[in-house]
Amino acid sequence: MTTEQFIASRASEAVKALYGAELPAEQLQVQVTRKEFEGDFTLVVFPLLRISHLSPDATGNAIGEWLVANCKEISAFNSVKGFLNLSLSNFWWAGLFESIHGTADFGVLPPTGRRVMVEFSSPNTNKPLHLGHVRNNLLGASVSNLLKAAGNEVIKTTLVNDRGVHICKSMYAWQQRFNGATPLSSGKKGDHLVGDCYVEYAKMEKEDPSVLDKVHEMLVKWEDNDPEVRKLWAMMNSWVFDGFEQTYKALGITFDKTYYEHETYLLGKELVRKGLESGVFVKDPDGSVWCDLTADGLDRKLLLRSDGTSVYMTQDLGTAERRFAEHELDSHVYVVGDEQNYHFQVLKLVLKKLGFSWADQIYHLSYGMVELPEGKMKSREGTVVDADDLIQKMYEEAKATSEESGKLEGLSEEEKSRLYHMIGLGALKYFILKVDPRKKMLFNPKESIDFNGNTGPFIQYTHARIKSILRKASEQKIELSLEGNVEFSSKEIRLIKILAAYPQKVQEAADAFSPAIVANYCYDLAKEFNQYYHDTPILKEENSSILKMRLVLIETLANVLVKAMGILGIELPERM
């Protein structure tokens, strides 16, 4: 039961005792007291006036007096123009803190019985992962963690777009201009080599637009299972897969299930055939197949080209049917950039027209693009920020910033290297995830690594500071335990309030598919601790009971930070 629910239930009892009226607690409005008023939580009195037949202040005062007299958890009240501000007693805060500290799975919500699939990453095998993919991967992984923390069974999946025109462009350029180069002979990661082929193809097409006909011929041969084309395709894809795996490992990204477009596009083709038979789709004179959505306010959507080859929509139809059939999903979340909003609007509509009842259970988590100070990135022009280069840059920024601080004495080179990696990745992940997914964002590596302000390293440093205090307490043989009836200060109550809000923040973030809510909760908690640490003696406290309470309080805070930042995929170091 939350604090708001507790107050509502007792206020419901007060209304019955004072006015003889049965009023369900769910109908009462309780909110956090505004900062300019005294109190912790506020009961909105206006809806009760029809029962009390008294003025707002008279009603508020009557209920306040009853609550103070009958609830040891409520110590004082004041009624201001229809708002009853209630102050909770130390008895309440002690009980609430003990329930937070004593619950191992605090913040993990009860099982919902729902099975949710989250698709993210889903790269093309014609280029390496870049900064845009990084945002996608971090969002997908953290949303998966969020939904799991909110009590859902989650299946993390990716669809590798390993066939199609884009792939054939890289293949054609490799044949024509790369003289049999391999990752081994070129000294390049496989995904980088294939990405170079894609950039080179863009130059070739600019020089001679007719090369696009050659690429389409290659695609037709691929769909006809031409052995030479398939052999080249398999070889170049294997290079890319090896490169992707290294990048995923560096980012801490894993999947429960991987789908490949070459395995699912035929399922889509079969659905298109059935749609033609049932009259849902139409075939044009040139042989291309379309779905007419003009009556739905959209346009005609291509499903098969005139040469019989499939498009993205084709395989998405087949993949969706396969996933819902295989896993009996309650929901499917696609983490895909907002430039594909129309695509997913069409996907849901076409699936509905095909008669799939689960079409409405598809949700497109549409996120804004990542831009750089110098503007948008373009893969075909080779002007992207490569994910591998970015990870290395973040490592170097973390190393430089940490060495400037001069606080790494006693750490081995291996420990330092691990710490730089942790800080660099923490900075990158937090900087991206603290922004609402639906907003475009500007990425600045140097700003993200700052040890002050709303950054990952600031929260990591806060955790390390707490761990340092706890180590000193351990060296002094101080036992961490709660004893006696210790009076909490106003700053300690503020920390307990923020800690207690964690499960609600998890639920709120899961409902909104927004890790930013958890990220900014972590910042608020870390910021509040640092103010508390600045103003409050901990190890210098002479009262043993208060000293132990404060140590348990900051230990609990550190544990909640670990859980919350873990949802974002961010590790917190023991020392910095």
Side-chain angles (χ1 to χ4, degrees), residues 434-445:
K434 74 176 181 180
V435 179
D436 185 297
R438 292 154 189 82
K439 294 181 180 177
K440 283 187 172 66
M441 67 170 294
L442 193 69
F443 183 72
N444 185 326

Side-chain angles (χ1 to χ4, degrees), residues 291-505:
C291 184
D292 190 350
L293 302 172
T294 52
D296 301 283
L298 303 178
D299 58 9
R300 297 176 84 234
K301 181 63 184 176
L302 178 67
L303 298 174
L304 284 179
R305 298 187 186 92
S306 57
D307 60 10
T309 57
S310 63
V311 295
Y312 275 127
M313 183 60 68
T314 321
Q315 60 91 6
D316 273 352
L317 293 170
T319 306
E321 182 194 32
R322 180 174 174 181
R323 288 172 176 174
F324 274 88
E326 283 181 350
H327 299 285
E328 298 181 357
L329 303 175
D330 293 293
S331 181
H332 190 310
V333 180
Y334 290 90
V335 183
V336 181
D338 57 12
E339 80 279 10
Q340 295 295 329
N341 286 351
Y342 184 76
H343 176 88
F344 285 97
Q345 190 180 358
V346 171
L347 177 63
K348 288 182 73 167
L349 193 50
V350 173
L351 286 168
K352 278 186 182 180
K353 289 183 180 295
L354 286 169
F356 293 113
S357 59
W358 40 258
D360 282 329
Q361 293 158 237
I362 285 175
Y363 178 79
H364 174 208
L365 176 50
S366 170
Y367 65 88
M369 293 294 97
V370 185
E371 294 182 4
L372 300 164
E374 53 269 30
K376 292 184 179 179
M377 300 178 290
K378 295 180 182 177
S379 295
R380 68 179 59 200
E381 294 177 15
T383 60
V384 299
V385 174
D386 178 79
D388 299 313
D389 291 344
L390 178 61
I391 292 167
Q392 181 60 31
K393 181 179 177 62
M394 296 305 296
Y395 177 92
E396 290 165 3
E397 290 278 3
K399 181 179 180 181
T401 306
S402 298
E403 287 179 347
E404 280 176 23
S405 73
K407 296 180 179 179
L408 301 179
E409 290 181 14
L411 293 183
S412 67
E413 289 306 310
E414 185 180 341
E415 288 171 326
K416 286 180 184 178
S417 180
R418 174 167 162 69
L419 182 61
Y420 302 150
H421 183 72
M422 199 185 296
I423 295 170
L425 274 184
L428 171 64
K429 292 180 178 183
Y430 188 86
F431 195 87
I432 287 177
L433 293 173
K434 74 176 181 180
V435 179
D436 185 297
R438 292 154 189 82
K439 294 181 180 177
K440 283 187 172 66
M441 67 170 294
L442 193 69
F443 183 72
N444 185 326
K446 204 161 192 68
E447 186 182 329
S448 73
I449 211 82
D450 196 339
F451 279 56
N452 298 297
N454 191 3
T455 66
F458 170 72
I459 297 168
Q460 289 175 316
Y461 185 70
T462 298
H463 179 266
R465 171 177 273 177
I466 294 172
K467 287 296 183 178
S468 174
I469 296 169
L470 294 174
R471 279 194 300 275
K472 290 175 183 175
S474 176
E475 289 165 6
Q476 296 174 28
K477 310 295 184 187
I478 302 171
E479 183 184 349
L480 270 63
S481 62
L482 294 174
E483 56 183 39
N485 185 22
V486 178
E487 194 76 23
F488 293 105
S489 70
S490 60
K491 286 181 170 49
E492 285 153 0
I493 288 172
R494 173 66 184 155
L495 282 173
I496 294 169
K497 281 183 183 178
I498 299 176
L499 288 170
Y502 177 57
Q504 292 165 265
K505 290 295 180 182

